[in-house]
Amino acid sequence: MSDTIGVPVGIPTERDRIFELPVELESLRDRKPIGRMIYEDGHLGWLVTSYSLARAVLADSRFSSRADLARIPVELPAEAEQARKDIPPGVFHRMDPPEHTRYRRLLAGHFAVRRMDSLTETIQRIVDERLHAMDRGGPPADLVRDFAKLVPLNVVSEVLGVPEDERDRFVRRVSVLFDQHAEAADVGAATQAIHTQFQEFVDAKKRAGTSGDVLGHLAASGELPDEEIATVGMVLLTAGYESTANMLALGTLALLEHPDQRARALSNSAQLDKAVDELLRYLSVTHIGPIRTALRDVELGGETIKAGDSVSIALPAANRDPEHVECPAALDIDNSSAGHLAFGYGVHQCLGQHLARNILRTSYAGIFREFPALRLAVPADELEICTEMPVYGVSRLPVEW
C-alpha cells in the first residue's frame, strides 16, 4: 500500500549506544509526534512519541487498556499470543474501570507511601545480604545475576507474603519467566507452577489466619476466590520485577559512566531521590508500550484515531522530549524529571512505584558504599544490550572492585 511507504513496522528499538535513543525513534518524534505504525499482525495503528501526547493518551478514558482489544507491536510466539488473548480473572492492569478500580482499591493500602517507607529496613537488609554475598564470592561478579535480579525478587516476596522456606524454589521458577533464552514450554511450565504455588500460599494463610501481607490481606477480605488471588499475585510479581531489576543494573552502569552525577547523587538523601527520578526518566526501560485501543474516534495531535485503532506509546522518546526536559539527552540530576512517565500516568500509573523507588535508592547507595571502587570488568561497548525484550537492559554487567 502506497500510504504505508516509510511507515515503521513496530516500535524502533535498535540502538547504536546503550544510553542513546534509537535514531529512528528520535527522528520520528522530531518530525511528527504522532504517526502511523504497522503492527506485527499487519494492523495499521499509531505511534506516539511526544511527552504531551503520551500523557494525553494515558489520561483519556476513551483509550482502553483491555488485553482483548490490544495489538502488540512486536512478534510473539504462537503460545504467547494465545495466552495474551485468554486473560484469566485478576489480570487487573489489562482492565478498564470500573473492574480495574475494584482491584486497585483492594491493593492500594499495601502500596501507599507510608507503607513502602516502613519497608526500608527490610529492603536494606536484603540489599546488604546480596552485597555481602557478592563480596564473599570475590571479583569479578555479574551485577545482573548476583544482585539486580535477586533484590527485587526477595523484596516482592516479602510484600506478597511468600514464605521464607519457599523463596529459593520460587526464585528459581520466576527466573525462567524472564530468561530471554528459555523455551516456550519451560516458561509455560514455570508460569503454571508459580500460580499453583501462589494458591498454596493463599490456602496456608487462610488456615493460619494471617493477613499482614498482600496475599494474606486478599485472602482475609473474602472478596476474591483463591485462584483469582493467585493471578493477582502473578500480576504484582511480573509487573514490576523485570523493570526494577533492569533499572538496578542499567542505573548502576549509568552512575559508573557519569562519576560527577554519582558523586552528587550519593552526597545526601535529597540528591539521591532526585537522581533516582532522573535515572528513571533517562533510562525509561519500558521501551515497548504501553498500548491503548481507541474505544471511539478521537482527535489527537491533528490526527483522527479511529475506534479500534491501537496506539503504542514510546516512553523513551516521550521522556526525552525537549519540550519537556531542558537537557533531554543528558543524565543530569538538575533536569526537571519529576513529571516523567516511567511509571505511566493516569488511572493505570504503576501501583508499585513507591516500592520501586525505595528499592532503587537503597540499592544504589548500598552498592557504592560497599564497593566504592566499583568499576566495569569489561569495556562498556562489549556489553550485550537486550533490545528485543519488553524491558530494556543488559544481559550481564561484569564488575570488579
Side-chain angles (χ1 to χ4, degrees):
M1 296 173 57
S2 59
D3 59 346
T4 61
I5 294 175
V7 174
V9 178
I11 297 178
T13 59
E14 292 299 320
R15 308 186 186 212
D16 293 333
R17 294 183 177 84
I18 290 176
F19 297 126
E20 291 183 0
L21 283 184
V23 174
E24 186 181 0
L25 191 60
E26 201 161 24
S27 176
L28 287 169
R29 185 198 60 213
D30 295 343
R31 292 200 318 268
K32 195 169 179 20
I34 178 170
R36 286 298 201 174
M37 183 180 76
I38 301 171
Y39 286 68
E40 287 293 334
D41 64 358
H43 172 70
L44 185 59
W46 300 89
L47 176 63
V48 169
T49 51
S50 77
Y51 178 83
S52 60
L53 293 184
R55 269 177 56 119
V57 171
L58 293 172
D60 193 332
S61 62
R62 293 175 296 177
F63 291 101
S64 173
S65 294
R66 282 170 46 190
D68 60 313
L69 299 178
R71 298 170 187 266
I72 307 299
V74 294
E75 188 175 3
L76 292 175
E79 299 91 340
E81 177 63 21
Q82 189 59 44
R84 183 182 71 80
K85 294 177 180 177
D86 298 335
I87 302 297
V91 184
F92 64 92
H93 65 305
R94 305 311 310 272
M95 298 176 180
D96 294 336
E99 293 85 358
H100 169 263
T101 309
R102 173 178 171 240
Y103 288 94
R104 292 279 295 213
R105 176 181 57 79
L106 283 171
L107 294 165
H110 274 275
F111 292 92
V113 176
R114 182 176 297 179
R115 181 82 176 217
M116 294 301 96
D117 286 346
S118 72
L119 287 172
T120 299
E121 187 174 327
T122 297
I123 296 171
Q124 186 69 66
R125 171 179 57 77
I126 291 169
V127 166
D128 289 345
E129 287 173 356
R130 296 315 317 157
L131 291 173
H132 295 160
M134 273 180 58
D135 197 25
R136 288 193 300 272
D142 176 6
L143 196 77
V144 172
R145 179 197 63 207
D146 300 331
F147 183 83
K149 287 191 171 184
L150 295 176
V151 167
L153 258 183
N154 280 283
V155 173
V156 171
S157 294
E158 289 274 351
V159 173
L160 292 178
V162 177
E164 288 275 2
D165 58 357
E166 290 283 346
R167 297 267 171 96
D168 287 344
R169 188 161 61 112
F170 185 70
V171 167
R172 286 196 301 272
R173 286 172 172 167
V174 172
S175 298
V176 176
L177 301 186
F178 299 97
D179 182 352
Q180 62 181 322
H181 304 298
E183 296 290 335
D186 294 333
V187 174
T191 300
Q192 184 57 53
I194 295 167
H195 193 274
T196 299
Q197 265 191 292
F198 272 129
Q199 287 184 277
E200 292 170 354
F201 300 157
V202 171
D203 182 61
K205 289 175 188 301
K206 276 186 162 181
R207 284 186 277 106
T210 55
S211 60
D213 49 61
V214 171
L215 295 178
H217 165 72
L218 292 177
S221 74
E223 295 199 38
L224 301 175
D226 292 1
E227 185 174 349
E228 201 165 326
I229 296 173
T231 300
V232 170
M234 289 284 292
V235 169
L236 294 173
L237 169 69
T238 57
Y241 161 68
E242 190 176 13
S243 55
T244 305
N246 285 6
M247 272 299 305
L248 285 175
L250 267 188
T252 301
L253 176 60
L255 293 172
L256 286 173
E257 295 287 287
H258 298 80
D260 58 326
Q261 296 298 310
R262 181 174 76 242
R264 292 177 60 196
L266 300 176
S267 62
N268 60 63
S269 59
Q271 290 287 81
L272 183 57
D273 286 342
K274 288 173 62 179
V276 166
D277 269 311
E278 172 62 357
L279 284 165
L280 286 161
R281 178 203 71 83
Y282 180 69
L283 298 173
S284 295
V285 295
T286 302
H287 69 149
I288 299 174
I291 304 159
R292 298 291 186 265
T293 305
L295 295 174
R296 57 183 67 92
D297 291 0
V298 180
E299 297 295 323
L300 183 73
E303 300 285 356
T304 300
I305 314 300
K306 295 289 187 180
D309 282 357
S310 279
V311 180
S312 288
I313 297 169
L315 290 182
N319 277 334
R320 292 198 185 190
D321 187 340
E323 293 188 5
H324 170 59
V325 180
E326 187 174 350
C327 302
L331 177 65
D332 187 344
I333 293 175
D334 290 330
N335 269 328
S336 54
S337 55
H340 65 76
L341 302 176
F343 292 118
Y345 187 69
V347 297
H348 282 277
Q349 192 169 39
C350 177
L351 184 65
Q353 61 176 297
H354 304 304
L355 177 61
R357 282 191 173 94
N358 199 339
I359 293 172
L360 293 175
R361 64 173 174 257
T362 304
S363 295
Y364 295 144
I367 287 168
F368 291 104
R369 181 188 63 248
E370 186 73 19
F371 303 117
L374 191 75
R375 58 190 178 274
L376 286 177
V378 299
D381 58 9
E382 291 183 11
L383 295 171
E384 179 189 2
I385 58 176
C386 305
T387 59
E388 296 180 358
M389 300 294 284
V391 180
Y392 180 64
V394 290
S395 58
R396 296 175 62 249
L397 188 62
V399 293
E400 54 193 9
W401 53 91

